[in-house]
Amino acid sequence: MDEKITFRTEIEFKGSIPEFEKVVASLAELPIRVRVEWPPDHTAGCWPIGPEEILSPRVLGKVTEGMARIKIVRGIKGGIRDPHLHIKDEVVLLDRTRFKEVVGQVAMELGGRLAERAEYVETVGAILNLVPGAK
């Protein structure tokens, strides 16, 4: 049979980091295209600006110290739902406390940059978007 087919589905992986690394390495070898639906113009980790461009190396070193790391496999762009950062050629998984610290510092810096140049309504509107159910 020489017919070709197309098959598309969603795969959700739950397991250990070594198991994940095996799955990703296997996927990279197959004749498949792995893509992420969100955001449409995917950037590493989905951050609008990489945290490494905002946070000092000292702060990044502190929040990533002792955290699990996964080598980035070329051709697999995204999909990790657990808190993480892309640092050079690795994905560094973060616990919720460290993730909160990174998000807080990035948001504070970006909020400050916005407040320097934007009108009041635009600045407060950006904060408003962070409050669930706010109108």
Side-chain angles (χ1 to χ4, degrees), residues 70-131:
I70 302 168
K71 287 283 186 196
I72 293 174
V73 176
R74 300 293 168 215
I76 307 290
K77 295 185 178 183
I80 296 175
R81 300 299 199 259
D82 301 295
H84 67 282
L85 293 175
H86 292 232
I87 306 290
K88 298 181 183 164
D89 65 343
E90 296 179 310
V91 171
V92 181
L93 300 176
L94 300 177
D95 62 31
R96 192 54 68 169
T97 301
R98 293 183 193 204
F99 183 60
K100 178 183 173 187
E101 182 179 342
V102 168
V103 170
Q105 289 191 33
V106 169
M108 186 168 56
E109 175 62 27
L110 292 177
R113 289 181 187 182
L114 182 62
E116 285 177 342
R117 63 168 177 74
E119 291 181 0
Y120 173 86
V121 173
E122 182 183 1
T123 303
V124 174
I127 296 168
L128 184 65
N129 289 332
L130 296 174
V131 180

Side-chain angles (χ1 to χ4, degrees), residues 8 10 30 66 98 111 118 130:
R8 183 182 303 182
E10 178 178 315
L30 295 172
R98 293 183 193 204
L130 296 174

Side-chain angles (χ1 to χ4, degrees), residues 7 12 22 30 32 37 40 43 50 59 78 82 96 105 112 120:
F7 172 78
E12 180 176 332
K22 287 180 188 175
L30 295 172
I32 62 173
E37 299 290 338
T43 58
V59 170
D82 301 295
R96 192 54 68 169
Q105 289 191 33
Y120 173 86

